[in-house]
Amino acid sequence: MEWYIVLSILVVSLSFFLFLGLPVAFSLGFLSIICALVFWPGTTGLYGVALAGYGHMGNYTLVCVPLFILMAQLVMHSRMGTDSYEVADRFLRRLPGGLGMTSAVFGAIFGAVCGASTAGTATVGLLSLPEMIKREYQAGMSGAIVAFSGALSILIPPSVILILYGTLANESIGALFAGGIIPGILMTVLALAYIFIRVLIDPDVAPRDDVRFTWKEKFASLSKVWSLLTVIFILLFTIYTGVATPTEASAIACLAVFIIAFVKKTLDVKTTRKALLHTVKTTAMIGWIIIGATSFGYVIIYSGCAAELTDFVVSLPLPTTAVVMILMLGFLIMGMFLDPAAIVMMTTPIILPILTALEIDTLWFGILMAVNMCAGNISPPMGLNLYIVKGLVPDKIKLAELFKAAVPFIILDIVTIGLIMIFPEIVTWLPSLIV
Amino acid sequence: PNMAQCKTYRLKFQMAWHTQHPQYKAYKEFIKRVKEASNGKLKFTVFPASQLIGRNEALDGLKSGTIDMLAGCGTYYHGMVPEGDVDWLPYISLNNREKFWDYMNNDQGGKAGEFHDIIYNAYLEKANAVWLTNIICGSSGIIGRGNTEYNTMESLKNIKLRAAGGVSTRVAKAWGACPVTMATGEIYPALQRGTVDALIFYAYGLKDYKFFEVAKTFSTPPVFTWADDLWINKRALERLPEDLRNTLVTVSREWGHWASVEYWPEYEAENEKWCRENGVKFVSMDNENIEKSKKMLEQVWDWYAKESPECERLVDLIKTEQKTWTALKKDSGLEKIAGLQ
Amino acid sequence: MMNKNKGLTRIMDGIASFDEKLAEIAGWIVVLMMLTISYDVVMRYAFNSPTTWSFEVNRYMLIMVVFIGAAWTLPAGGHVTVDIATERIPERKRIVLDIITSFMAGTYVLIFLIQSVVFTYDALEHNVRSTEYLAWPLWPIRAFLVVGAALLFLEYILRIVRNFSQLSQTHEEK
Ligand code: NA
Ligand code: NA
């Protein structure tokens, strides 16, 4: 059977299972199991396909996922989160969509200490979603802002995606990290602009009120954020002075939150228990999605569909810019269905010879790819971040709303891709100063 | 010619190596040789970079038949088949790359082939895998952060030395360094910011992982030379007609020898040149320090010998065998190198 | 009918509270991860004597958290679903659909369970150990896959049974 027929069948089946209401993790798993029986002789495929995710689960860099979630849970329950939102509120309440803007900025700052979009989204979401919902922000919009802000973690260094790409493409990781900074800031600014304009046009999205705070009140509130600032400082300090790796820093920051909460007496056993249960729930959910996605990735790669699709895309007789645009389109489509790390792992080795042949700068292309993966993380039907957002507040947000609200943010990602294609200096300028 | 003779066979072949990895390039040659020798009747679908099944679970996948062929380091599967990890012992093939390969891959049976047979049988019994060949690859030495040189035993004392578990962590401990474990992806920033002082790593990691940007020294001689192995699932091999089976076995061996004694030494020389051009300084230990290091690392050999009765036998065999190499070297007047044994 | 339902309810409550206890244990494992990693960093940075076990043990603890927390995550509504279609249809149809999807998920989890048993038994039979420094036997760690998948499978069985019972109730009401 032709590869595109196989691929279509897989995509349609997956969409159908999801539509039926089968959980994402098990839709991926169930489809992979069927494929294991079809593609492999007898039952020989079942073992490898079912257990494909085990290796990922034992990956040390994922250890930071429950720790960042727990940290965010504790920040939320120990009033550190609400305190800092109160401050943001005092400064930004009069701005259209102020809390949404705060989430985007916080997402960018948190991205500077977090390497994976899952932990980023969970943290930003835990801190900001309850507040935005409390202030009657439109649920879909709030969720989309969080999903977008969480995705900034894979563009702003440190980034697991960039490390994977740099290793495979033989590109300097230091240069890649530097290259991600300006595009990350650019995307944050674009998001702020979009929220601002959107709320001006459609005020119901984010209700404003006319309560005015004096400058005295604004600055007095600053005393409330010292605890959160301390945590962020500890995170940045331990990482950038070499005391600990980013994974280890997640544990230290988490411990710092525990200690601060203990000193301030804002955490009791009951709340801790609640935070722990929530951490386990989110970690198990993310874990099973990784298991399902790995199995599905296994099947797609084994079937040869992934390689054929890439071959097809790169073999078209077109100018370089058009090829890059087509690659970006291909990544966007793949991003709708697959895990970003899986996409990078599977396509980089195949695309690299083409980049070399067409003399495309691999640093520039790597950042384009990372921006694209940000879009993939928030694109339906398989945008991981959207499901994490949904998982954080299952009763408050409907997926249909979330999918709809995510579209403008995907367009922001595409605009960023366009800007980087027209002005490569956005990526290359900062690394050129360092190397 | 009947149908069976015209039929082509395709094997699903996973490698731990990504497409830019030097060992992947060696496997390109392997695939070319198999194609020529089998008149195109034996083909591979290659999955680089552990694309299908995680690196550490790949031997399990091979065992169950989810993949047909596997290339990766035997050391990844030390916990399953410790016998296959013998080639990573400190200094085991130092200055005797070819002799060691010939000894390890001697499939003629009997007394001379005992070393090979122990490993071969261990893979067959524990992993349902036929061990096709072993490839002695790149030098693993000490990459030092900044411009710090680690060429004496004294300089290694109490430093934070990143080691990848298994043998290398034990080496670090035996030297009196503080072994630090961290994911490969975290090494670069850790070197940059001083979370670690140095690491035990292969020399081309300087280029491959861009460590040369933040670490400027590489210390020789290699404490061990990392090695790759090639296996095929037993049933997958049995499914092939006899002529193809023989072709695959023969080509694997010849190619393994070529990769170990021609390809890798050449690649290492090239890599060293590249590293020097990019500001990396290659420092070496003097004989006194090498002897000291060997003495310190005897405990690593002792640890390995205790892994299983077969491991103990392997250690006995190789120690005896090494003496004959020394004798030969002395005969040919290479006392200086023999001193490194 | 009523008695049977009561018995069923009791069993289900029992399992639910057991799974929640496990999830709570998993939560304390996360705290243990936090403490051990912090300890390792302090020992390395301040005392220049990092542990040789933290890296490996924390990876095992992550596996434990994911698997022993998996069963409770289902009734707790943690496994995300696409609710575009399901939130619009009448209750009876939704129950039928839930039975179908539970069968699908249950089938997957059962196959995962069987393969995990093979995986674990293999480690036990051949004394497979970790390839890293600790060289621990791997079967107890892999056994968490078996336990987690078994409990999750049980949760799905209960969910199917409960759905059928609800279905017969709504039928009687008619
Ligand atoms: Na980041
Ligand atoms: Na996506």
Side-chain angles (χ1 to χ4, degrees):
Chain A
M1 207 188 298
E2 295 296 331
W3 63 272
Y4 48 87
I5 300 175
V6 176
L7 192 63
S8 310
I9 292 173
L10 289 179
V11 167
V12 170
S13 315
L14 182 63
S15 311
F16 179 67
F17 294 160
L18 291 171
F19 185 76
L20 284 182
L22 186 59
V24 178
F26 305 129
S27 294
L28 290 161
F30 184 68
L31 181 58
S32 307
I33 289 301
I34 294 174
C35 292
L37 292 172
V38 174
F39 295 151
W40 274 263
T43 54
T44 50
L46 286 179
Y47 183 80
V49 170
L51 299 175
Y54 174 78
H56 266 289
M57 291 322 305
N59 186 337
Y60 188 74
T61 41
L62 284 178
V63 164
C64 73
V65 172
L67 294 169
F68 276 130
I69 294 168
L70 178 60
M71 182 179 95
Q73 277 286 315
L74 294 172
V75 166
M76 189 174 82
H77 287 300
S78 67
R79 290 198 52 88
M80 266 184 233
T82 12
D83 280 354
S84 50
Y85 267 91
E86 215 174 294
V87 178
D89 189 38
R90 292 200 179 182
F91 279 91
L92 296 163
R93 188 184 288 198
R94 299 210 60 254
L95 280 179
L99 278 176
M101 291 181 169
T102 315
S103 304
V105 172
F106 184 75
I109 294 170
F110 194 74
V113 292
C114 167
S117 79
T118 41
T121 309
T123 309
V124 179
L126 284 168
L127 286 177
S128 64
L129 269 181
E131 286 300 316
M132 284 197 276
I133 287 166
K134 202 164 101 192
R135 314 267 182 197
E136 291 180 334
Y137 273 46
Q138 193 192 73
M141 177 79 168
S142 315
I145 293 173
V146 169
F148 176 86
S149 313
L152 291 172
S153 288
I154 63 175
L155 186 59
I156 294 171
S159 156
V160 173
I161 297 276
L162 289 179
I163 289 173
L164 283 176
Y165 173 81
T167 307
L168 295 175
N170 211 7
E171 182 53 69
S172 162
I173 289 156
L176 279 168
F177 277 8
I181 293 174
I182 295 177
I185 294 170
L186 174 67
M187 263 167 65
T188 314
V189 171
L190 285 175
L192 295 182
Y194 165 68
I195 295 167
F196 185 85
I197 294 166
R198 176 75 201 277
V199 174
L200 279 189
I201 297 169
D202 185 3
D204 291 344
V205 170
R208 293 173 70 175
D209 50 55
D210 290 328
V211 181
R212 279 169 185 273
F213 293 104
T214 63
W215 284 104
K216 200 180 158 195
E217 279 174 314
K218 286 181 187 177
F219 283 103
S221 74
L222 278 176
S223 66
K224 284 189 168 181
V225 287
W226 70 267
S227 49
L228 190 72
L229 288 179
T230 307
V231 174
I232 292 176
F233 173 77
I234 289 172
L235 260 174
L236 293 171
F237 180 81
T238 47
I239 293 174
Y240 288 103
T241 55
V243 174
T245 65
T247 307
E248 294 166 342
S250 67
I252 293 168
C254 195
L255 183 62
V257 175
F258 253 118
I259 293 170
I260 291 170
F262 182 76
V263 170
K264 290 177 74 180
K265 297 190 177 71
T266 49
L267 203 62
D268 54 24
V269 178
K270 201 180 145 204
T271 329
T272 310
R273 191 175 164 271
K274 205 169 135 192
L276 290 178
L277 278 176
H278 198 105
T279 304
V280 170
K281 190 164 83 172
T282 313
T283 308
M285 180 263 290
I286 293 172
W288 278 90
I289 290 184
I290 290 172
I291 291 167
T294 316
S295 297
F296 189 61
Y298 192 161
V299 164
I300 281 214
I301 293 166
Y302 190 89
S303 70
C305 288
E308 298 262 22
L309 175 67
T310 315
D311 283 350
F312 172 74
V313 171
V314 297
S315 69
L316 299 169
L318 291 165
T320 308
T321 315
V323 172
V324 174
M325 282 165 75
I326 289 169
L327 286 177
M328 286 298 127
L329 188 67
F331 281 135
L332 278 175
I333 293 169
M334 273 190 274
M336 290 178 186
F337 303 100
L338 290 168
D339 175 66
I343 297 174
V344 172
M345 295 281 284
M346 136 186 136
T347 56
T348 306
I350 302 163
I351 287 171
L352 202 62
I354 310 295
L355 298 184
T356 317
L358 299 175
E359 292 178 352
I360 295 169
D361 180 2
T362 47
L363 168 68
W364 173 76
F365 190 83
I367 301 296
L368 275 181
M369 191 164 173
V371 176
N372 205 314
M373 292 302 111
C374 293
N377 261 317
I378 59 169
S379 60
M382 256 308 295
L384 191 56
N385 287 12
L386 297 177
Y387 293 105
I388 291 168
V389 166
K390 166 78 178 166
L392 293 174
V393 281
D395 315 326
K396 302 278 169 51
I397 301 182
K398 293 193 172 110
L399 265 175
E401 294 171 0
L402 196 52
F403 285 173
K404 209 174 111 195
V407 173
F409 287 97
I410 296 167
I411 293 170
L412 289 186
D413 287 328
I414 296 171
V415 168
T416 311
I417 292 172
L419 287 173
I420 295 175
M421 285 185 71
I422 299 167
F423 308 106
E425 294 79 13
I426 296 171
V427 171
T428 55
W429 179 70
L430 206 51
S432 73
L433 292 185
I434 292 167
V435 179
Chain B
N2 62 31
M3 282 303 288
Q5 276 171 322
C6 293
K7 198 174 164 193
T8 63
Y9 293 81
R10 190 171 273 278
L11 295 170
K12 303 269 184 182
F13 182 8
Q14 170 162 311
M15 295 176 193
W17 321 116
H18 61 77
T19 52
Q20 301 306 302
H21 194 283
Q23 186 59 0
Y24 180 85
K25 286 167 194 155
Y27 274 109
K28 270 185 158 167
E29 171 70 17
F30 169 76
I31 289 163
K32 203 182 104 200
R33 289 185 183 196
V34 171
K35 191 183 165 193
E36 278 165 10
S38 69
N39 293 318
K41 280 196 288 184
L42 188 54
K43 287 178 177 162
F44 303 99
T45 306
V46 177
F47 301 101
S50 302
Q51 257 177 356
L52 286 177
I53 195 157
R55 195 190 78 178
N56 296 333
E57 289 71 42
L59 194 58
D60 271 312
L62 185 78
K63 184 178 181 179
S64 68
T66 311
I67 47 176
D68 302 321
M69 256 170 85
L70 175 66
C73 301
T75 201
Y76 302 154
Y77 315 109
H78 179 108
M80 196 169 162
V81 190
E83 294 78 13
D85 195 15
V86 68
D87 45 358
W88 285 54
L89 281 173
Y91 305 120
I92 194 167
S93 61
L94 184 65
N95 296 325
N96 282 298
R97 200 179 254 271
E98 184 163 15
K99 287 206 180 65
F100 179 70
W101 190 91
D102 287 344
Y103 185 62
M104 189 172 182
N105 290 273
N106 183 338
D107 64 348
Q108 299 306 304
K111 196 103 190 77
E114 190 183 349
F115 192 84
H116 167 272
D117 293 349
I118 290 173
I119 302 168
Y120 183 93
N121 290 331
Y123 280 124
L124 197 59
E125 185 201 329
K126 294 177 189 171
N128 192 33
V130 174
W131 184 45
L132 289 171
T133 189
N134 168 264
I135 306 95
I136 321 275
C137 300
S139 307
S140 293
I142 303 151
I143 293 177
R145 174 174 187 258
N147 295 308
T148 319
E149 297 174 8
Y150 294 101
N151 54 353
T152 62
M153 286 300 106
E154 198 52 40
S155 66
L156 289 166
K157 216 164 181 181
N158 293 326
I159 64 161
K160 286 190 268 272
L161 183 61
R162 190 268 181 183
V167 170
S168 67
T169 301
R170 285 181 168 80
V171 167
K173 273 204 126 160
W175 276 340
C178 307
V180 178
T181 322
M182 62 176 60
T184 311
E186 291 185 326
I187 298 175
Y188 182 97
L191 276 174
Q192 196 175 27
R193 303 193 184 105
T195 315
V196 293
D197 301 310
L199 55 139
I200 302 177
F201 216 78
Y202 34 86
Y204 71 86
L206 285 159
K207 181 184 175 190
D208 205 37
Y209 288 95
K210 303 277 166 184
F211 296 154
F212 76 95
E213 294 173 356
V214 285
K216 298 287 186 196
T217 69
F218 183 80
S219 181
T220 60
V223 59
F224 52 80
T225 307
W226 73 269
D228 173 43
D229 293 277
L230 178 65
W231 305 272
I232 184 167
N233 173 283
K234 187 168 165 263
R235 264 166 295 147
L237 185 63
E238 283 164 357
R239 272 199 298 270
L240 298 176
E242 205 185 339
D243 60 324
L244 288 185
R245 226 181 295 158
N246 292 335
T247 305
L248 185 63
V249 170
T250 315
V251 172
S252 299
R253 286 182 55 79
E254 281 165 2
W255 167 83
H257 184 268
W258 167 82
S260 300
V261 307
E262 286 181 44
Y263 174 81
W264 269 97
E266 272 169 36
Y267 181 83
E268 291 229 290
E270 249 172 62
N271 177 64
E272 189 172 328
K273 192 169 158 256
W274 185 94
C275 288
R276 284 181 193 280
E277 282 165 8
N278 284 276
V280 177
K281 192 174 168 196
F282 281 71
V283 295
S284 51
M285 289 187 188
D286 56 19
N287 276 354
E288 190 191 331
N289 274 289
I290 293 167
E291 284 310 318
K292 239 192 234 172
S293 169
K294 278 187 180 167
K295 203 143 201 93
M296 286 168 146
L297 296 182
E298 266 169 20
Q299 55 169 285
V300 179
W301 283 69
D302 294 344
W303 157 77
Y304 181 78
K306 286 198 195 84
E307 289 291 89
S308 76
E310 288 78 17
C311 290
E312 194 178 356
R313 182 73 191 138
L314 288 173
V315 168
D316 283 347
L317 283 168
I318 190 67
K319 278 189 172 163
T320 315
E321 177 68 15
Q322 279 183 330
K323 280 178 193 139
T324 69
W325 302 342
T326 316
L328 278 173
K329 283 262 164 67
K330 276 194 176 132
D331 286 347
S332 55
L334 290 167
E335 291 87 347
K336 215 179 161 191
I337 298 172
L340 302 184
Q341 274 315 301
Chain C
M1 194 72 211
M2 285 305 284
N3 275 337
K4 201 175 118 197
N5 277 349
K6 251 186 200 162
L8 185 69
T9 315
R10 201 177 302 146
I11 293 170
M12 289 198 334
D13 288 350
I15 290 172
S17 77
F18 177 69
D19 285 348
E20 188 173 340
K21 288 240 162 54
L22 279 183
E24 204 180 326
I25 292 170
W28 288 105
I29 294 173
V30 178
V31 174
L32 207 56
M33 289 165 79
M34 175 187 86
L35 293 174
T36 51
I37 295 174
S38 304
Y39 173 79
D40 186 37
V41 172
V42 170
M43 288 309 281
R44 184 181 69 220
Y45 192 74
F47 301 100
N48 214 33
S49 56
T51 71
T52 42
W53 47 265
S54 170
F55 184 86
E56 210 174 330
V57 166
N58 272 287
R59 290 170 41 210
Y60 301 147
M61 288 201 277
L62 177 65
I63 291 170
M64 286 162 73
V65 171
V66 169
F67 284 95
I68 68 176
W72 175 74
T73 304
L74 183 64
H79 290 295
V80 269
T81 46
V82 179
D83 53 12
I84 299 168
T86 48
E87 68 187 9
R88 287 180 197 168
I89 56 175
E91 200 197 343
R92 218 183 130 74
K93 275 188 183 148
R94 192 159 63 212
I95 295 172
V96 174
L97 203 56
D98 198 75
I99 291 173
I100 294 170
T101 55
S102 296
F103 262 112
M104 292 160 84
T107 308
Y108 165 63
V109 175
L110 181 63
I111 288 172
F112 187 92
L113 171 63
I114 295 167
Q115 302 304 327
S116 303
V117 170
V118 175
F119 194 44
T120 308
Y121 181 74
D122 191 58
L124 184 65
E125 192 191 5
H126 291 102
N127 187 28
V128 177
R129 288 167 306 139
S130 100
T131 290
E132 281 148 86
Y133 187 77
L134 294 176
W136 282 356
L138 281 182
W139 70 264
I141 293 140
R142 292 184 183 176
F144 281 102
L145 272 70
V146 176
V147 173
L151 289 171
L152 185 57
F153 181 66
L154 194 62
E155 281 285 354
Y156 264 114
I157 299 273
L158 287 173
R159 195 181 168 111
I160 291 167
V161 171
R162 190 182 50 213
N163 273 325
F164 268 116
S165 125
Q166 270 184 7
L167 210 57
S168 60
Q169 269 174 3
T170 51
H171 189 73
E172 276 167 23
E173 276 158 24
K174 274 181 185 172

